[in-house]
Amino acid sequence: MHADRDAYVAGGNIIIDYAGVPAFAVQEFVVPAPAGLAELTRARQQPSVLLTAQRQTIVFTGRKAEMTELQQWQDGPAARSVWAWHAPGGQGKTRLGQQLGRESAAAGWRVGVATHQDAAPGDADTKPLAKPWRWLPAGRRPLLLLVDYAERWPLHDLLRLLADCRTRAPKVRVLLLARSVDWWPTVAAELGRLGFTTGGDAGPQPLPALADDVPGRRRLFETACQRFAQIYQPDMPAQGWPRQWHPPGDLDDDNVYGITLGVHMAALATVDAYTRQTTPPRSAGDVSRYLLDRERSYWARLHGTAPDTVRAAARTVLLACLTGPQPPDDGIRLLELTGLAARPAAQKLLDAHDRCYPPASTSTVLEPMYPDRLAEDFIALSLPASPAGQQLTRSGHTDSWAATTLVTLHRNPDDTIACTPGPLTARTPGQQPPGHTSRILIFLAAAASRNPHVKGWLHTLLTTDPALAVHAGGVALTAIVTHTSPALAETIYQLLPERSLNLDPAAALLAQHLLDHTGNSPEQRARHSSNLSIRLANTGRREQALAPAEEATRIYRRLAEANPDAHLPNLASSLNNLGNRLSELGRRKQALAPAEEATRIYRRLAEANPDAYLPDLAASLNNLGVRLSELGRRQQALAPAEEAVAIRRRLAEANPDAYLPNLAMSLNNLGNRLSELGRRQQALAPAEEAVAIWRRLAEANPDAYLPNLAASLNNLGTFLSELGRRQQALAPVEEATRIYRRLAEANPDAYLPDLAASLNNLGVRLSELGRRQQALAPAEEATRIYRRLAEANPDAHLPNLAMSLNNLGIRLSELGRRQQALAPAEEAVAIRRRLAEANPDAYLPNLAASLNNLGVRLSELGRRQQALAPAEEATRIYRRLAEANPDAHLPNLAMSLLAYGSVCVNVKTNFAEALEKVTEAIGLYGALAGQWPEVFAGLLFAAYRTLADILDGLGRAEEAAELRRQLDQATGGKSVAG
């Protein structure tokens, strides 16, 4: 069973730097002029050229309603807005974007085209990246940015593009064009943070067919035929053109005539056949075959009619369709690898291919055939009907070489077929597959949606090496999920890492696919439900993750009651998962019971079989400690944290590869538990050991372990700060923030809370070093993120919002912006009061801290009587807490007593009571400074200076002056940080 990782909680005040060079560029949109009739007439021997969007063979027509919607969106008041439009390939998305770009440029907009090296839209008017990074310079005109093939962009690059374009113009519109919208929820969740609104009704806009009924399709078909007849005019037969053109097949066929490109392909095939006085396609399904036959004739016309020459040309075209554009040396290598040709013949073959399909860049070869739909159909026609019938000819394009490039087949003595990866997909064991593997899987999946036999080849390919689906990346894995059998999907799922920025969304889709195809087995349903819950949580979809976790627990409970020996371990695992899911949603009281039950079960199992269940017991103890800490039961939380570390240390000594990550996790949590109890010096060692382990692991596997390293660095920074080592504390927090920013760009649902926490920490660390102006920006950003998160899920994020508001008020006050500092301080108190009423153990310390801050903020504004009440209440709370746990709360009590004295000085009242409280604070700080001078010496001096101010207020000026003289003498006249 796929068990959930145990809980991990960063300590302290728990927070976009764009590291690395992005793999996309933004170029100026060049208004594409439609190809002239003479140019199109010259190209009539090559159907693919006439079908590309760039040539605009068919005049842009219709779409009045869509263009009106887009123009209204552009003219709207929002400064920045994004709108996603989606439709199947060939529906006219690229043409729509071109038309919008054309009209926008005429209206004075600046229009840009974003191109990604992994999403190269071949039939649009764009070119591959000449440089890995290029952006239009900023300007004053409004900016329209067109992004084609958005579904093929890695999410972190798409989000980075949006972040980058915010400052390029005073008004920004980004039009995302895509075939599918599985990626949209992740982008939409991040738009608010990036300052974007969404177009339409906030959801993706489907682009409808130009005609959705038979009469409309008939008109569309006739118009296209008339246009192609103009192009073919020199070849017009003696009897002239017919009065009415007859479409292949039935116009009710949505697979062909529901797509604009399908109508154009049918019209082109019809006119071409009529011109040549040959049999036109009889059905819609024959259209692609007919056009590809004509394409093949063009290869023969260009390169020679010898069968070997045409075959070599066809195989080179197929290779280009499968791999996409390549650098010249790689192109030659691919020809050699697949047995097509060796040097110098390989270079001649590439040169011939370039004449047929000129590359968009002089730095590439093997330009594919466009549009993509024609390339996909060519792949399908080239592949034999099945592995077993590989030598059977299905069409003039069928070629056994096409199959053997993907899968090498061997016939066994018993006449069965054995498969191994072919030269295009083979990889050395333990190594990554070739870079073009992702494109191969994406195009095979697209072809399989219209050609069932391709699904068999895709299945065969992945069966030979299921890891290809994982190594090819998230976009490819998403594309192939629906084409996998339950058995193959299960095999691929087992190869997935626990966490991966790239793969997490696809992993959730695969888990859902497995659950949807679960049979009648309750055990399988429970297992797949549990896995789905974990994968959804990994992508940040925590609300959705709860239901499958609850279902898995219900099923396993029934199974364990009937057969405890077989299913108690599964029940314990599902309980752990359920506790984690409830905690993530802020339902902390409910999360404790499943964590306690899981620990009890694993303890019994480990007593009976320690080799099998000690690792699970340690994970459950780790979770239990976190759950208890979240409820404020910090003393109780220490024991399970210590026991978890002890178990995992023994396990890691015996098997470091398997258990070092678990040990690092438990060390982090132990550091947090010790810090919460005031045992700060003891907390530092486990934190440092955890960082050292995570750093080694992240260097070897950043996808899996960078989040853990960032959390651990945050903890280390906090613990160093608590020990007064403030300069040392800054570097780990800065590093943590950089890591979390990159993680949040790639997966905002999962990592925005962590980024906000790290930003909060960064603001605190900068302030401690006196860099107050720099400290404000991260505090403000953290508050914005937490406010948005809390609006969506208050149970989970209100405590963090309150913490962030508290820090923001302090940062504003430090800069002298005292009136602005009051509102966040008041809001923080209001939130924490409600939380403390519901759960005093967990939130009373936080309420006291916010009350202290509120008193200081009010006193700074001269609101005397109002300032005293929160300061007095904070002191009362801290006194009760310190009586119960002096190690943890005596420093807070001292701070509260000193804050009360400061308020009294500021508002010039209650000096006698202030003298009593600050004297008590001096006593506490004196004892604490004896133990930790780096932390508390500065606060002790601050308390003495406040005492001097109080003595002045009491009319004891000589005593005050003598005290200040002694303080100046002790410090050499220099101020001491407090």
Side-chain angles (χ1 to χ4, degrees):
M1 178 174 181
H2 191 296
D4 196 4
R5 295 194 316 175
D6 42 334
Y8 185 90
V9 176
N13 292 329
I14 321 238
I15 63 164
I16 199 161
D17 154 85
Y18 295 115
V21 178
F24 60 83
V26 179
Q27 301 162 319
E28 195 85 46
F29 174 78
V30 178
V31 179
L37 185 59
E39 177 187 345
L40 294 173
T41 298
R42 288 193 298 272
R44 65 188 184 279
Q45 301 297 325
Q46 192 177 11
S48 62
V49 172
L50 299 178
L51 292 169
T52 58
Q54 180 182 352
R55 294 287 191 307
Q56 302 175 64
T57 303
I58 308 295
V59 176
F60 184 84
T61 186
R63 303 298 187 197
K64 290 183 180 179
E66 290 85 354
M67 289 301 299
T68 298
E69 286 184 273
L70 288 167
Q71 288 158 0
Q72 290 173 345
W73 164 63
Q74 279 187 276
D75 295 338
R80 293 181 288 270
S81 187
V82 174
W83 204 355
W85 284 59
H86 64 101
Q91 190 68 290
K93 302 181 297 298
T94 298
R95 294 289 302 278
L96 181 73
Q98 287 178 346
Q99 184 66 16
L100 181 65
R102 185 183 295 107
E103 294 186 10
S104 299
W109 283 67
R110 191 166 194 199
V111 184
V113 180
T115 310
H116 196 283
Q117 66 181 19
D118 295 331
D123 59 342
D125 191 27
T126 55
K127 292 178 171 52
L129 305 187
K131 298 178 182 178
W133 168 242
R134 186 171 57 209
W135 236 112
L136 294 174
R140 293 189 173 186
R141 287 188 292 158
L143 172 66
L144 169 66
L145 189 59
L146 304 174
V147 186
D148 210 347
Y149 286 66
E151 80 281 3
R152 294 186 190 172
W153 280 60
L155 289 177
H156 63 277
D157 280 340
L158 191 55
L159 292 171
R160 180 169 180 174
L161 173 73
L162 295 177
D164 284 346
C165 73
R166 291 177 297 183
T167 58
R168 302 286 168 172
K171 188 173 188 177
V172 177
R173 295 291 182 266
V174 182
L175 180 63
L176 304 175
L177 303 169
R179 288 189 176 191
S180 64
V181 288
D182 295 331
W183 49 274
W184 172 253
T186 302
V187 173
E190 184 66 357
L191 292 179
R193 179 182 70 86
L194 294 173
F196 283 88
T197 64
T198 55
D201 296 324
Q205 177 77 18
L207 179 63
L210 270 175
D212 56 6
D213 58 15
V214 170
R217 291 173 180 178
R218 161 64 70 180
R219 288 192 296 273
L220 200 62
F221 176 76
E222 285 282 348
T223 299
C225 285
Q226 291 166 13
R227 175 57 174 161
F228 286 124
Q230 290 177 330
I231 295 168
Y232 276 81
Q233 189 72 23
D235 300 326
M236 182 177 65
Q239 71 270 25
W241 303 117
R243 291 187 176 182
Q244 186 179 48
W245 299 94
H246 297 287
D250 193 339
L251 287 168
D252 282 334
D253 188 343
D254 291 336
N255 289 327
V256 174
Y257 295 106
I259 304 296
T260 305
L261 178 60
V263 175
H264 292 172
M265 289 170 64
L268 176 55
T270 300
V271 172
D272 185 276
Y274 192 88
T275 301
R276 297 174 56 243
Q277 300 292 291
T278 189
T279 304
R282 291 187 174 85
S283 67
D286 291 332
V287 169
S288 286
R289 183 179 293 109
Y290 178 92
L291 294 176
L292 288 166
D293 286 343
R294 297 291 296 126
E295 201 81 8
R296 192 181 190 94
S297 297
Y298 178 74
W299 305 334
R301 182 170 177 268
L302 194 64
H303 305 307
T305 58
D308 288 348
T309 302
V310 177
R311 185 182 304 112
R315 290 176 176 179
T316 308
V317 172
L318 180 62
L319 186 64
C321 291
L322 288 168
T323 66
Q326 300 289 323
D329 287 346
D330 288 350
I332 290 176
R333 183 183 56 81
L334 285 172
L335 290 177
E336 292 176 333
L337 185 68
T338 56
L340 261 179
R343 297 175 190 263
Q347 185 61 59
K348 292 181 179 179
L349 201 53
L350 289 177
D351 291 342
H353 178 83
D354 287 352
R355 289 194 298 275
C356 192
Y357 299 99
S361 167
T362 56
S363 61
T364 62
V365 296
L366 289 178
E367 187 74 7
M369 174 169 50
Y370 301 114
D372 280 351
R373 186 184 180 101
L374 205 58
E376 294 157 7
D377 287 343
F378 181 53
I379 293 170
L381 288 172
S382 298
L383 287 169
S386 70
Q390 186 179 21
Q391 303 304 323
L392 299 178
T393 299
R394 295 173 51 257
S395 74
H397 300 277
T398 306
D399 187 349
S400 61
W401 177 90
T404 56
T405 59
L406 302 173
V407 179
T408 301
L409 305 178
H410 310 278
R411 191 172 295 277
N412 294 324
D414 61 357
D415 212 33
T416 59
I417 300 294
C419 304
T420 57
L424 278 185
T425 55
R427 63 191 179 97
T428 304
Q431 299 296 313
Q432 294 285 332
H436 52 253
T437 304
S438 178
R439 179 184 170 98
I440 288 175
L441 295 182
I442 291 169
F443 271 68
L444 285 176
S449 64
R450 297 187 301 278
N451 301 273
H453 78 285
V454 179
K455 182 175 180 178
W457 281 105
L458 181 60
H459 186 276
T460 300
L461 171 61
L462 292 174
T463 301
T464 65
D465 187 1
L468 286 176
V470 178
H471 292 305
V475 176
L477 180 56
T478 297
I480 62 97
V481 163
T482 57
H483 299 293
T484 58
S485 66
L488 177 58
E490 182 75 59
T491 302
I492 294 171
Y493 187 87
Q494 296 303 321
L495 297 172
L496 290 171
E498 282 190 2
R499 295 296 301 269
S500 165
L501 301 180
N502 183 22
L503 292 169
D504 278 346
L509 193 65
L510 187 60
Q512 182 68 64
H513 178 70
L514 282 165
L515 182 59
D516 292 342
H517 292 82
T518 297
N520 296 323
S521 166
E523 185 174 2
Q524 283 189 5
R525 183 161 192 85
R527 179 166 56 87
H528 293 321
S529 294
S530 185
N531 289 344
L532 176 60
S533 171
I534 295 165
R535 296 301 182 175
L536 288 170
N538 286 352
T539 63
R541 289 178 278 176
R542 297 182 174 107
E543 288 282 358
Q544 294 172 260
L546 180 59
E550 290 174 325
E551 182 178 12
T553 302
R554 282 195 301 270
I555 296 172
Y556 278 132
R557 193 177 294 283
R558 291 198 303 270
L559 292 169
E561 289 170 357
N563 188 346
D565 288 346
H567 296 294
L568 263 180
N570 294 331
L571 173 59
S573 178
S574 68
L575 285 163
N576 256 331
N577 291 347
L578 178 59
N580 290 345
R581 300 296 80 81
L582 288 165
S583 172
E584 289 166 351
L585 294 172
R587 296 162 62 174
R588 291 167 177 165
K589 285 185 176 180
Q590 293 171 271
L592 179 60
E596 290 177 321
E597 184 180 0
T599 302
R600 288 195 299 271
I601 294 172
Y602 276 134
R603 194 176 293 284
R604 292 201 306 273
L605 292 168
E607 288 169 358
N609 188 344
D611 287 346
Y613 294 110
L614 265 180
D616 298 308
L617 173 60
S620 195
L621 286 162
N622 210 55
N623 286 353
L624 178 59
V626 174
R627 301 290 86 82
L628 288 165
S629 172
E630 288 172 343
L631 293 173
R633 295 161 62 176
R634 290 163 181 154
Q635 191 64 54
Q636 292 171 270
L638 180 60
E642 289 177 321
E643 185 179 0
V645 168
I647 294 172
R648 285 176 160 175
R649 194 176 292 285
R650 293 199 305 274
L651 293 169
E653 287 169 357
N655 188 345
D657 288 345
Y659 294 112
L660 262 182
N662 297 328
L663 173 59
M665 182 144 341
S666 284
L667 286 164
N668 256 321
N669 285 343
L670 177 59
N672 290 336
R673 302 296 79 80
L674 289 165
S675 175
E676 290 167 351
L677 293 171
R679 296 161 62 176
R680 297 178 175 96
Q681 189 65 52
Q682 292 171 271
L684 182 60
E688 289 178 322
E689 184 181 0
V691 167
I693 295 172
W694 287 128
R695 194 176 295 283
R696 291 201 306 275
L697 293 169
E699 286 170 358
N701 188 345
D703 271 0
Y705 296 116
L706 264 180
N708 304 101
L709 173 60
S712 191
L713 286 163
N714 250 336
N715 285 355
L716 178 59
T718 298
F719 298 156
L720 288 167
S721 172
E722 289 174 344
L723 292 172
R725 295 160 63 176
R726 291 169 176 167
Q727 191 63 54
Q728 291 173 270
L730 180 60
V733 176
E734 288 179 321
E735 184 180 0
T737 303
R738 288 193 297 271
I739 294 171
Y740 275 136
R741 197 177 289 286
R742 295 200 300 272
L743 294 169
E745 289 164 12
N747 190 340
D749 285 350
Y751 293 110
L752 261 183
D754 298 310
L755 173 60
S758 200
L759 285 163
N760 254 319
N761 283 349
L762 179 59
V764 174
R765 300 293 84 82
L766 288 166
S767 173
E768 289 171 345
L769 294 172
R771 295 161 63 176
R772 291 168 177 164
Q773 189 64 53
Q774 291 173 270
L776 180 60
E780 290 177 322
E781 185 180 359
T783 302
R784 287 194 300 272
I785 294 172
Y786 274 137
R787 190 175 298 284
R788 210 167 52 253
L789 292 169
E791 288 169 357
N793 188 343
D795 285 347
H797 297 295
L798 265 179
N800 296 326
L801 173 60
M803 174 267 298
S804 189
L805 287 162
N806 209 56
N807 289 347
L808 177 60
I810 296 170
R811 301 292 83 80
L812 289 165
S813 172
E814 290 170 343
L815 293 172
R817 295 162 62 176
R818 291 168 178 166
Q819 189 64 52
Q820 291 173 270
L822 180 60
E826 290 177 322
E827 187 179 359
V829 167
I831 294 171
R832 284 177 161 173
R833 193 177 295 284
R834 293 199 304 273
L835 293 170
E837 289 170 358
N839 188 345
D841 287 345
Y843 295 113
L844 264 179
N846 298 329
L847 173 60
S850 283
L851 285 164
N852 254 330
N853 287 342
L854 178 59
V856 174
R857 300 294 81 80
L858 288 165
S859 73
E860 289 170 346
L861 294 171
R863 296 163 64 172
R864 301 183 178 188
Q865 293 305 314
Q866 292 171 280
L868 286 175
E872 289 173 332
E873 183 181 0
T875 302
R876 288 196 301 272
I877 293 172
Y878 275 135
R879 195 175 295 284
R880 291 200 308 273
L881 293 169
E883 289 169 359
N885 187 345
D887 283 347
H889 295 295
L890 273 179
N892 294 327
L893 174 59
M895 177 268 296
S896 186
L897 292 164
L898 177 56
Y900 181 84
S902 298
V903 168
C904 291
V905 169
N906 286 342
V907 299
K908 298 179 173 56
T909 189
N910 284 22
F911 286 114
E913 189 174 353
L915 177 62
E916 178 185 340
K917 293 189 184 303
V918 171
T919 301
E920 182 182 359
I922 287 172
L924 293 172
Y925 277 136
L928 291 165
Q931 295 176 283
W932 297 294
E934 302 92 341
V935 180
F936 295 108
L939 292 167
L940 178 59
F941 273 90
Y944 273 117
R945 290 196 181 280
T946 302
L947 176 60
D949 294 336
I950 293 170
L951 290 171
D952 272 333
L954 290 169
R956 296 159 60 177
E958 290 184 6
E959 293 177 67
E962 175 60 21
L963 178 56
R964 291 191 181 98
R965 187 190 66 77
Q966 294 176 8
L967 291 171
D968 288 342
Q969 184 177 3
T971 62
K974 297 178 181 178
S975 62
V976 178

